Amino acid sequence: MDPKKKAITAAVVGTALGVGGLVVVAMPASAGDAPKLPAISAEDLVQSVMTADPGPFDGTVSVSNDLGLPAVGGAIPGMSALNVDSAHVFSDGTGKAKISLTNGASQETIVRDGTTVWDYHSSNNSATKTTIPADVATQHDMGAGELADPATATKELLAKVRENSTVSVDGTANVADRPAYELVFTPKPTERTLLREIRVAVDSQTRMPLRLSVLSNGTTAPALQVAFTDVKFAPQSADLFTFTPPQGAKVTEKTAKVDDQTKALADEAKQDTKLVGDGWDTVITGKVPADALSGKKPAGASGAEGRNADPQQLLSRFAKRVNGTWGSGYLFTTKVGGAVLTDDGRFAAGAVPEQVLYEALGQK
């Protein structure tokens, strides 16, 4: 299988390769002739996407990336997700969801029924059952990122770039055998970004986004793609959202909670992290934990939860040494953005040229 055509749940969109909080994804070519649909204004189409409630559905989601990321295996969180071969997403339309991920002969199954999340790995026949108390579920959308889909990603994206974009409807397309409008967001001339445009294929009937796309400056091929390859809008069987571990499976049970230490760490991270700029040229800045660059395992971590590689060796191998009035550190770039990690633990990341990253680091 072409490594650029791996299929994967859209969870990756929200977790693996967002730059500066901006979801960056791209689309494949449309199949067949463009369908004929009633004319609609760009503003009306945007509004219908933001308020869409497609109800229950199931579908296969695919991701194809041409970011030029280094092959670092599991050394960087989220990177291994790009090697998943296939994914199937189920939703009952009320918050219950299931994702089946396949990679070679192994499979991971994630099921959420509202108050419980199961995460099963066939490779070692192990499962984790997490119970979500009502107060925690209210304060924190537990598991939402894991069980995302293109519609969720699109709404987050539109909130980031809508006011700083020229918005248009660029014809129609067939996506997952469904007629769709092509909604296009182009950065205004004042935006300093490496991205040229973002495209959203919107289902003509349900108004649910079926495909998200981005093109970067200086390239003709998509940088990263997420799309439904097939989708069906229909009631889902209730037994899809229940899970029974296979015989002999090792089951670990835990309860989701936000203890004082977790709250303190979250508050500290919030204080240390800020957004510089807005829209397309937003840069997120902050500090990494002290042990992140030391190669030490976080407190309480063991095995796969610990470090998989020496961070300093990874930086030396895959990033460029840089310095300026802001200090010194390492620059990592892709086709759609970059990040700088300073020697004293500060970082800046965004879908912007490197000079914009340096300017953000220099702000107090």
Side-chain angles (χ1 to χ4, degrees), residues 120 125 244-250:
Y120 172 75
N125 197 25
T244 301
Q247 185 175 3
K250 179 183 178 181

Side-chain angles (χ1 to χ4, degrees), residues 252 254 259 261 265 291 296-307:
T252 302
K254 61 182 182 180
D259 54 28
Q261 181 180 7
L265 290 173
D291 63 356
K296 297 179 180 179
K297 295 178 181 179
S302 61
E305 295 177 328
R307 302 292 181 204

Side-chain angles (χ1 to χ4, degrees), residues 151-205:
T152 302
T154 296
K155 290 181 180 181
E156 294 176 355
L157 182 150
L158 296 188
K160 297 289 183 183
V161 303
R162 182 178 176 185
E163 297 301 321
N164 304 85
S165 305
T166 300
V167 188
S168 62
V169 179
D170 185 23
T172 63
N174 284 302
V175 181
D177 293 326
R178 295 183 64 88
Y181 293 98
E182 292 276 26
L183 186 61
V184 182
F185 294 80
T186 305
K188 291 182 178 180
T190 54
E191 299 296 295
R192 297 186 296 173
T193 177
L194 296 179
L195 305 182
R196 187 168 83 235
E197 66 181 23
I198 292 173
R199 305 178 72 92
V200 182
V202 180
D203 185 79
S204 62
Q205 181 179 356

